[in-house]
Amino acid sequence: MNIIDELSWRGLINQQSDEEGLRKLVDEKDISLYCGMDPTGDSMHIGHLLPFMTLKRFGDAGHHPYIVIGGATGSIGDPSGKKAERPMQTMDQVNHNVEALSNQAKRIFTDFTMVNNYDWTEPIGILDFLRDYGKLFNVNTMLGKEIISSRLEAGISFTEFTYQILQSLDFLTLYRKHNVQLQVGGGDQWGNLTAGLDLIHKAEGQDAKVYALTIPLLLKADGTKFGKTAGGAVWLDAEKTSPYEFYQFWFNQDDKDVINLLKKFTFLNQDEIAALAEKVKTAPEKREAQRTLAEEVTKFVHGEEALKTAEKITEVLFSGEIQALTTDEVAQAFSGVPSEEIPADEINLVDLLIAANVDKSKRQAREDIQNGAIRINGEKLTETTEMIDPKDSFDGKYIVIRRGKKKYFLALIK
């Protein structure tokens, strides 16, 4: 199957500058292509995955993907999708984020070539920039692009106004040095991508075969934006979003969304996804499609061992056998539950429930204990006189408290 047909089936194409031209090009030869990423933070989130997974699909089809880390553009700020100016980062912040994102991307996308646009942008003097590149951009054309026009009422600085020129320079440089012929980006990047095409055609001639392709904004079946949780973004950094939390995010997707997500975020083929779609219809309670989605994406981002840990934590929490977890696994499993610090001394069970903010009064704590509603580290305790020694489990760092069937609390030992 032609890679363009593959992307179309997966719902990964929003706009193309020349569909037939690109289709013919990728049929004729292996091409080089790229997607950029600005270092606005020190970790990617799942919103970054789709463009780069799309590049990987090209790579699996024999093409050559590049990632451009925006050491230069990230210091300026992309106005796309923003209602106001971005806070300017210091160069120390930018460089820290460049290093962190580069290491993260190299770990996940092992077969990509990675470059930093600071390397070719920094040597250009202001006069050379204005004479060699600024002269090729028409201000009226730039004002007509949605990324700029949407900001005119609120105001846009000259700094962010020039972002489009810098991103276009990336495409021109990669075309000249590495024969990169396709830029891939999110749907909000269309104006920046087409500006790059225009620059190449002005600088290199109208016969230059270069193309742009954007990926649609991913929405859930109810029309809301995909990728956010109550706690914020779902990060690819295991310190920000643990592999267990990451796994659970995918496992908890709605039946209405799961097949669409399998198409976009996994490398399963059409037959495999069709089989899972049938299981969603015939046995939705088994959640096989969701489990497969969680397994595939967690393994891709975090690796086989992290997936095994996430699955183990899931199984242990379902069974209630908390003692089967390691100390590190407890930290993953309960990172989002209510937690309180308590002293390392032995403590009465009633006092523990008060100290950990499980119950508001000793009377309620006694009732919960006597009614069998309290489990400490997986063990049901029914005696109000029970004493708990924090040193007895999880390296003396945690006490896991469960009230009822699902409400967990974590006592952090000082």
Side-chain angles (χ1 to χ4, degrees):
M1 179 187 293
N2 182 286
I3 182 63
I4 304 303
D5 292 329
E6 168 80 2
L7 298 182
S8 179
W9 174 77
R10 292 183 182 273
L12 288 170
I13 297 178
N14 183 38
Q15 293 170 290
Q16 295 184 72
S17 59
D18 178 2
E19 179 180 354
E20 290 307 313
L22 181 58
R23 182 187 301 274
K24 182 179 178 182
L25 182 71
V26 296
D27 273 340
E28 288 176 349
K29 65 172 188 174
D30 297 340
I31 67 165
S32 295
L33 68 157
Y34 89 98
C35 181
M37 174 171 54
D38 278 347
T40 53
D42 58 5
S43 173
M44 290 186 278
H45 53 71
I46 61 172
H48 292 109
L49 270 179
L50 273 188
F52 296 116
M53 292 184 83
T54 300
L55 258 63
K56 179 170 172 53
R57 296 184 200 281
F58 274 96
D60 291 346
H63 304 285
H64 310 293
Y66 284 72
I67 292 178
V68 175
I69 298 289
T73 45
S75 68
I76 297 300
D78 182 0
S80 301
K82 298 297 178 183
K83 295 180 180 179
E85 294 277 322
R86 292 175 183 266
M88 189 73 74
Q89 295 189 103
T90 67
M91 286 308 297
D92 284 343
Q93 289 174 315
V94 172
N95 291 333
H96 167 76
N97 293 344
V98 164
E99 182 178 5
L101 288 175
S102 298
N103 291 335
Q104 189 177 71
K106 287 175 184 176
R107 177 180 59 80
I108 299 172
F109 301 100
T110 56
D111 51 353
F112 286 24
T113 301
M114 189 168 301
V115 292
N116 184 342
N117 62 20
Y118 186 83
D119 294 339
W120 58 77
T121 306
E122 190 273 337
I124 301 174
I126 182 64
L127 293 180
D128 290 334
F129 174 75
L130 293 173
R131 289 173 60 86
D132 296 343
Y133 305 108
K135 195 70 174 174
L136 299 177
F137 284 81
N138 184 292
V139 170
N140 290 341
T141 301
M142 295 176 72
L143 290 173
K145 291 183 182 293
E146 199 275 335
I147 54 174
I148 300 298
S149 62
S150 63
R151 286 281 300 279
L152 291 180
E153 185 174 343
I156 183 171
S157 69
F158 180 72
T159 298
E160 287 197 2
F161 185 74
T162 61
Y163 182 93
Q164 193 175 122
I165 301 177
L166 292 181
Q167 183 167 327
S168 300
L169 177 57
D170 292 345
F171 201 172
L172 176 62
T173 302
L174 291 170
Y175 175 76
R176 286 173 168 172
K177 290 187 175 182
H178 305 289
N179 196 30
V180 170
Q181 294 179 270
L182 170 64
Q183 183 179 179
V184 174
D188 63 344
Q189 290 292 307
W190 182 246
N192 287 333
L193 270 61
T194 54
L197 299 180
D198 293 341
L199 175 60
I200 293 173
H201 286 143
K202 288 177 181 178
E204 300 295 309
Q206 291 297 322
D207 292 337
K209 292 184 177 181
V210 286
Y211 304 87
L213 182 153
T214 61
I215 296 164
L217 176 69
L218 187 55
L219 300 175
K220 295 190 286 187
D222 62 7
T224 58
K225 191 174 180 180
F226 173 81
K228 296 287 187 179
T229 69
V234 181
W235 300 100
L236 307 194
D237 183 341
E239 296 298 317
K240 295 177 181 288
T241 299
S242 72
Y244 166 71
E245 293 172 298
F246 191 83
Y247 177 94
Q248 286 297 314
F249 170 80
W250 298 100
F251 184 77
N252 288 322
Q253 293 302 314
D254 193 281
D255 287 349
K256 296 176 182 177
D257 297 309
V258 66
I259 299 304
N260 183 38
L261 297 174
L262 281 164
K263 288 181 178 181
K264 290 178 168 61
F265 285 98
T266 78
F267 295 91
L268 300 178
N269 62 39
Q270 292 193 21
D271 290 340
E272 291 169 322
I273 292 176
L276 289 167
E278 184 63 24
K279 290 177 180 177
V280 172
K281 293 178 182 178
T282 58
E285 72 282 357
K286 294 184 178 179
R287 300 185 68 78
E288 286 195 47
Q290 283 88 345
R291 183 173 291 103
T292 301
L293 175 66
E295 290 171 353
E296 291 293 320
V297 187
T298 304
K299 181 168 60 176
F300 179 73
V301 171
H302 292 293
E304 188 73 44
E305 288 305 311
L307 170 60
K308 289 179 181 177
T309 297
E311 291 176 323
K312 175 187 174 183
I313 294 172
T314 301
E315 183 179 339
V316 165
L317 292 184
F318 181 78
S319 67
E321 301 295 329
I322 302 298
Q323 287 288 355
L325 296 176
T326 66
T327 302
D328 289 341
E329 289 166 350
V330 167
Q332 271 199 58
F334 300 103
S335 63
V337 307
S339 61
E340 296 287 343
E341 288 189 347
I342 67 170
D345 306 320
E346 190 176 44
I347 186 171
N348 172 261
L349 177 56
V350 172
D351 294 333
L352 171 63
L353 297 185
I354 299 300
N357 208 23
V358 178
D359 286 312
K360 301 300 182 184
S361 69
K362 289 190 175 184
R363 179 187 62 79
Q364 184 62 56
R366 292 189 190 98
E367 287 184 10
D368 284 343
I369 295 166
Q370 291 166 348
N371 291 335
I374 299 298
R375 289 179 181 268
I376 301 298
N377 297 329
E379 181 183 357
K380 182 188 289 188
L381 299 180
T382 57
E383 297 293 332
T384 58
T385 57
E386 193 84 42
M387 299 298 292
I388 309 299
D389 188 343
K391 296 187 291 293
D392 286 346
S393 58
F394 306 125
D395 299 321
K397 291 184 177 181
Y398 308 110
I399 298 174
V400 179
I401 306 164
R402 193 179 94 186
R403 186 181 70 197
K405 291 185 176 181
K406 294 184 178 180
K407 190 68 175 177
Y408 281 97
F409 301 82
L410 193 65
L412 310 175
I413 312 305
K414 290 190 289 188

